[in-house]
């Protein structure tokens, strides 16, 4: 595996691979790798002849300087895990390589950036995400890019951006990888206190309870959410949001019809966690 720090060198190695006929797979990340990241890399490895992973903690998507400072970083460990997952190139640029002093452009996917994470973190958050992902796509020029369902709103925004801006990239969304107790894997999990780590699986349990209610035939959104609120109350968690929304627009729903997205965010101690699951309304005969 090669580690590159400049766009020029990255372009050189990717060009050589493309000339050699390889399909280029790309996994953008902010590092502190866990099984969620490694699963994306292995999926890319299985589908593509040449796999690039980027490791860049993007300051433009952090609304909270403390969160940016605390974000876990361990490039040496990440490099060895990425190599084990079959990555060919780890692109780990400096902040100034990505955002030179004269940088002024941004990409905004309007409607989808507004609700949920947009309300809590501000619309700048997804402007930062869309801008860096479009820059990374231009740097790597991948055929396939792999994202996690764990960040459902981000995945939807990237898909919309690629569609709206005619980017020649196929976006693949891979299922959320969880700990055995249900907690969605996240780089932030290592920052949880012992008590926070013990409480955190209640987020997933609340989502699963709502999904079970929907699968058992509940079509009223408030009634379905009540099943999850009981779990959260028992764990002493007050979520920032806990909603059933449209899988395409993220608009809140009143009734469950077809496939829906159940989303949650909560801060445990100082650590903010998000999670979601898809659920499909039960219909007779299905
Ligand atoms: P991050 O480093 O947190 O920006 O995440 C990089 C990529 O990994 C994003 O596409 C995330 O959605 C994805 N990812 C993060 N956690 C998980 C997980 N538990 N399961 C699957 N994908 C994940």
């Amino acid at each position: 595996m090669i580690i590159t720090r400049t766009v020029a060198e990255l372009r050189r190695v990717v060009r050589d691979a493309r000339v050699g006929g390889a399909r280029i797979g790309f996994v953008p990340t902010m590092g502190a790798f866990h099984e969620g990241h490694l699963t994306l890399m292995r999926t890319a490895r299985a589908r593509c002849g040449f796999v690039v992973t980027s490791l860049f903690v993007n300051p433009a998507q952090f609304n909270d300087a403390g969160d940016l400072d605390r974000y876990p970083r361990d490039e040496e460990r990440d490099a060895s895990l990425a190599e084990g997952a079959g990555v060919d190139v780890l692109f780990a640029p400096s902040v100034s390589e990505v955002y030179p002093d004269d940088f002024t452009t941004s990409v905004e996917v309007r409607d989808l950036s507004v609700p949920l994470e947009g309300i809590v973190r501000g619309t700048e958050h997804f402007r930062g995400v869309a801008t860096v992902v479009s820059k990374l796509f231009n740097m790597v020029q991948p055929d396939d890019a792999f994202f996690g369902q764990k960040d459902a709103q981000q995945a939807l925004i990237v898909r919309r951006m690629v569609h709206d801006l005619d980017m020649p990239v196929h976006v693949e969304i891979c299922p959320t990888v969880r700990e055995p107790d249900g907690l969605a894997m996240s780089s932030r999990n290592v920052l949880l206190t012992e008590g926070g780590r013990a409480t955190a699986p209640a987020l997933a349990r609340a989502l699963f309870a709502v999904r079970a209610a929907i699968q058992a035939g509940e079509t009223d959104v408030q009634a379905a959410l009540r099943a999850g609120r009981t779990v959260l109350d028992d764990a002493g968690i007050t979520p920032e949001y806990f909603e059933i929304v449209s899988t395409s627009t993220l608009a809140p729903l009143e009734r469950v019809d077809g496939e829906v997205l159940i989303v949650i965010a909560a801060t445990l101690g100082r650590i903010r966690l998000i999670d979601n699951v898809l659920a499909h309304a039960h219909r007779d005969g299905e």
Side-chain angles (χ1 to χ4, degrees):
M1 188 183 76
I2 305 168
I3 300 180
T4 62
R5 308 214 176 263
T6 65
V7 178
E9 194 191 351
L10 171 73
R11 286 222 165 100
R12 238 181 344 263
V13 290
V14 175
R15 188 183 337 109
D16 289 349
R18 191 175 290 111
V19 167
R23 192 169 179 85
I24 311 296
F26 178 42
V27 181
T29 80
M30 299 204 298
F33 294 155
H34 50 66
E35 263 316 297
H37 297 113
L38 300 178
T39 303
L40 297 182
M41 293 173 206
R42 289 189 205 109
T43 307
R45 176 75 283 159
R47 306 267 178 85
C48 302
F50 193 79
V51 177
V52 181
T53 290
S54 61
L55 193 177
F56 180 62
V57 183
N58 176 32
Q61 71 190 70
F62 283 79
N63 56 319
D64 171 353
D67 187 25
L68 177 60
D69 284 348
R70 279 194 296 273
Y71 204 82
R73 293 169 170 88
D74 188 346
E75 187 185 305
E76 220 171 287
R77 174 182 172 274
D78 284 348
S80 118
L81 289 170
E83 184 159 34
V87 169
D88 295 299
V89 177
L90 184 68
F91 176 51
S94 63
V95 172
S96 61
E97 180 72 8
V98 178
Y99 300 115
D101 284 344
D102 57 356
F103 185 83
T104 90
T105 304
S106 60
V107 178
E108 188 175 335
V109 179
R110 283 189 295 274
D111 296 355
L112 290 171
S113 300
V114 175
L116 306 175
E117 290 299 286
I119 292 174
V120 183
R121 303 185 69 173
T123 40
E124 318 82 66
H125 169 62
F126 284 119
R127 196 181 304 136
V129 170
T131 302
V132 84
V133 172
S134 55
K135 278 178 70 79
L136 290 166
F137 280 1
N138 283 333
M139 293 168 182
V140 178
Q141 297 186 279
D143 298 292
D144 301 312
F146 299 83
F147 290 82
Q149 173 66 25
K150 157 79 170 37
D151 298 281
Q153 188 170 10
Q154 168 176 284
L156 213 54
I157 284 170
V158 169
R159 274 220 160 123
R160 173 51 66 93
M161 174 182 82
V162 161
H163 178 265
D164 286 356
L165 298 183
D166 307 296
M167 294 177 170
V169 182
H170 167 75
V171 174
E172 180 88 14
I173 313 294
C174 302
T176 300
V177 179
R178 297 180 180 281
E179 299 285 356
D181 61 11
L183 176 64
M185 290 198 183
S186 162
S187 302
R188 290 188 169 87
N189 290 353
V190 298
L191 303 174
L192 290 165
T193 61
E194 211 177 304
R197 178 63 188 81
T199 308
L203 268 60
R205 285 204 307 276
L207 294 171
F208 299 158
V210 178
R211 183 176 61 190
I214 290 170
Q215 284 169 347
E218 184 56 75
T219 56
D220 180 77
V221 157
Q222 290 313 321
L225 286 173
R226 267 198 293 282
R229 285 217 186 87
T230 311
V231 177
L232 296 174
D233 288 347
D234 287 350
I237 295 175
T238 307
E240 287 160 10
Y241 59 73
F242 182 44
E243 292 180 31
I244 299 178
V245 299
S246 155
T247 54
S248 56
T249 66
L250 302 176
L253 300 171
E254 279 174 21
R255 299 206 70 75
V256 178
D257 185 18
E259 194 172 46
V260 297
L261 185 67
I262 314 161
V263 289
I264 191 165
T267 298
L268 306 185
R270 288 195 301 177
I271 308 308
R272 195 158 178 277
L273 301 176
I274 60 171
D275 197 359
N276 69 86
V277 296
L278 292 161
H280 207 282
H282 169 86
R283 287 205 187 90
D284 288 344
E286 271 187 19

